[in-house]
Every structure is written in C-alpha cells, then in structure tokens.
Amino acid sequence: MTLFAAACSSDSSDESADEPDAPAPAETTEAASDATEVTLTQSDCDKTYHVITHGDSGTFWSVVEVAVADASEAIGCDVVYFGANNDAQAQSQAIEGAIADGSDGIAISLADPAGLEAAARAVVAAGIPLYTLNSGVNNYEDLGAVTHIGQTEIVAGQGAGKRFNALGASHVLCARQEQANIGLEERCQGLAETFDGQVTSEFVGLDANPDEQEQTIASILTADSSIDAVLGVGPNLPLRALDAAESAGRTLHIGGFDLSSDLIAAIEAGDIAFTVDQQQYLQGYIPVILMHLQATNQNTAGGGLPILTGPGFVTPDNAAEVAALVSAGTR
C-alpha cells in the first residue's frame, strides 16, 4: 500500500480549501520478506524520525501507518515507517540502519524483546531517543526508552475475562495469531487471571492464512465440546471463530481485540459480544509527536511511566459510533 494515499484520501471526509498542501508522495521499498518501508518526505524540517515495528500492512497496522503519516504532516518532518512482518531480524536490521542514518528519534515495537534487545540498546548507546509502542510495556525501562505508548496487555486480558464471566461462559479458547509475541500471551494470561472457568491458550495460525485459522479453531472445538467461548487476541480471529463455530455446529460467546469494519459489523449484529480497543492510531501518532518535541524543545512525557492508549471496549451499545471511524481508517 502507499501510505501517503491512505493517509490523505480515505481518512478525511472534512477536507476544505483551507487545508494545507499535502506532502510529497511516499517512497515505498521492499526491505526483507513481506516487510513494508515508507518514507514520508516533508520540506520544512531538518529532522528525520523512524517508526520501526513488527507489523504488517493488515487491518491493525494500516491504521498505525495512517497515524504516522498524519503525525509527519503535522510536524512537517520526514518520518520513515518500517513494518517487519513479524521478522525480528529484519526489524533489528532496520533499527541498525536508522542509527547509521543519524535518526533524531526511533520508536520501536517489542513483540520479541530478546530478538531486539541488542538493537534497542544500540539506539540508546548512540544517544538517540528511544520510544516503544504497542509491545514493550514490560521492557522499555530496562532498555532505556523514554516511555512506552500502548496498553497493559494483562489488564486488557483481565477485562475480557470479566466480560466472559458476565456472559456465563465456562471454558474459553484463547486463540493467538502469533507464536512469539509476548503481548498476545499476556492477553491470555490476563484472561486466565479473572475468568472463573477454564482457559485453553492455543496458536491457531497466522492472519495471513485465514482458512488455516478457521480450520484449526473448528478442530479444537470438535475435539473439546466443553469450549463455549473464544477470545481471539486480534481483529481477525473473532471472525474466524465465528465461521469455525458455524462449521462445527456450535454456538459460542466470542470476544476479540482491536478493530476492523467486519468485526464492528459482527458486533452490531450481535454475533460477537465485544472487542478490546487499544486505539492503535494513538500508538502511531503519539511517538512521532513526542520524538519531535524532545528533539526540538527538550520535552519528555510519561514521567517514566507508560502512556496508556487502552483498554476500551466496543460492544453492541457503542459499535455504531465507532463503525464510521473504522471505515475511515483511523480506528
């Protein structure tokens, strides 16, 4: 995808003649298998910032990319966004490249803290401000980052557990779309801490393979008739669980994490009970603004504590209000 086009066309329905000129089109390159790198070129600033994540360009991370583009335009500075598609080596190499380029600030996600530790410490050693986003709430202080922007995943999982209690569930399958993402594991951990019944945590396949996810969930449901609920720890898995329940002839309580148009529609229809909203737009926007304020005005935020963007919950009661923003690409 071209991030500039996504940020400057479909995301704004209130354009006017007073709107500032759009930035130059993004330059998109392939760097590592299925990775995404986008440079947002501005002309009014001599600073360059980097946002380097483990993300892909799917439902969740496309919103982060839009936010980075909006923040780049707001500060008038170049921002390089890189999504490593869950490849810690590619993400580390991108961080090392940003250091070599003399970045004025680097924000990274820490889905694989062990795989990124050396590169993260190299950022701090080079005297470049380091921020973490999305994943990394348990590691950012030790690595020397200024702050973390995201949600506390265990707390988010705990909130989901309480909702399943209220729904009357007795056995929840916590379905994960990544094997080595500590944040997803913590969501399942938090669920187990507050849910009154049994929790089974399983990796059910990558989001890139929706058919595999559906088939795996259906097989688990067939093998264990006591499972009466599924928590998909991303925006796609709840929909795969819905399809799997139908194919397995089961009725389930289903919850999810994050947002998509299809997920919101299923919540509005009453097919899915809720989703946890961590507001990923803020996770892309806030680090860029904070890096710029630190570089130009010596401001820091957070006071050493994380800046929380969630959790919130989208349910049938408020889904209609969120739906238009999801369609616009900013939620």
Side-chain angles (χ1 to χ4, degrees), residues 160-182:
K162 293 175 182 178
R163 288 185 177 270
F164 279 119
N165 287 336
L167 291 168
S170 61
H171 186 175
V172 179
L173 168 65
C174 193
R176 295 178 285 108
Q177 71 271 27
E178 296 171 21
Q179 285 183 297
N181 187 328
I182 189 171

Side-chain angles (χ1 to χ4, degrees), residues 121-248:
R121 293 193 184 281
V123 174
V124 177
I128 300 171
L130 175 69
Y131 288 76
T132 63
L133 66 119
N134 182 257
S135 302
V137 69
N138 297 323
N139 308 92
Y140 75 96
E141 288 183 280
D142 180 60
L143 294 176
V146 178
T147 190
H148 174 79
I149 299 93
Q151 72 178 358
T152 301
E153 303 296 356
I154 290 179
V155 173
Q158 289 171 342
K162 293 175 182 178
R163 288 185 177 270
F164 279 119
N165 287 336
L167 291 168
S170 61
H171 186 175
V172 179
L173 168 65
C174 193
R176 295 178 285 108
Q177 71 271 27
E178 296 171 21
Q179 285 183 297
N181 187 328
I182 189 171
L184 302 186
E185 294 173 358
E186 287 180 345
R187 292 175 181 180
C188 294
Q189 177 184 339
L191 168 68
E193 289 178 1
T194 57
F195 182 57
D196 294 335
Q198 182 179 350
V199 172
T200 298
S201 177
E202 295 283 354
F203 168 67
V204 298
L206 298 172
D207 281 341
N209 299 309
D211 291 340
E212 177 188 355
Q213 289 181 336
E214 179 184 341
Q215 292 165 8
T216 301
I217 294 172
S219 295
I220 294 172
L221 295 176
T222 300
D224 191 340
S225 61
S226 71
I227 295 174
D228 58 359
V230 174
L231 177 64
V233 291
N236 298 316
L237 279 175
L239 299 169
R240 304 293 82 78
L242 191 61
D243 293 337
E246 182 177 354
S247 64

Side-chain angles (χ1 to χ4, degrees), residues 286-304:
I286 291 175
V288 175
I289 300 300
L290 293 183
M291 289 189 290
H292 186 58
L293 287 172
Q294 184 170 1
T296 60
N297 206 46
Q298 289 299 299
N299 291 127
T300 58

Side-chain angles (χ1 to χ4, degrees), residues 311-329:
F313 291 90
V314 179
T315 70
D317 293 333
N318 63 353
E321 298 175 4
V322 178
L325 299 172
V326 172
S327 296

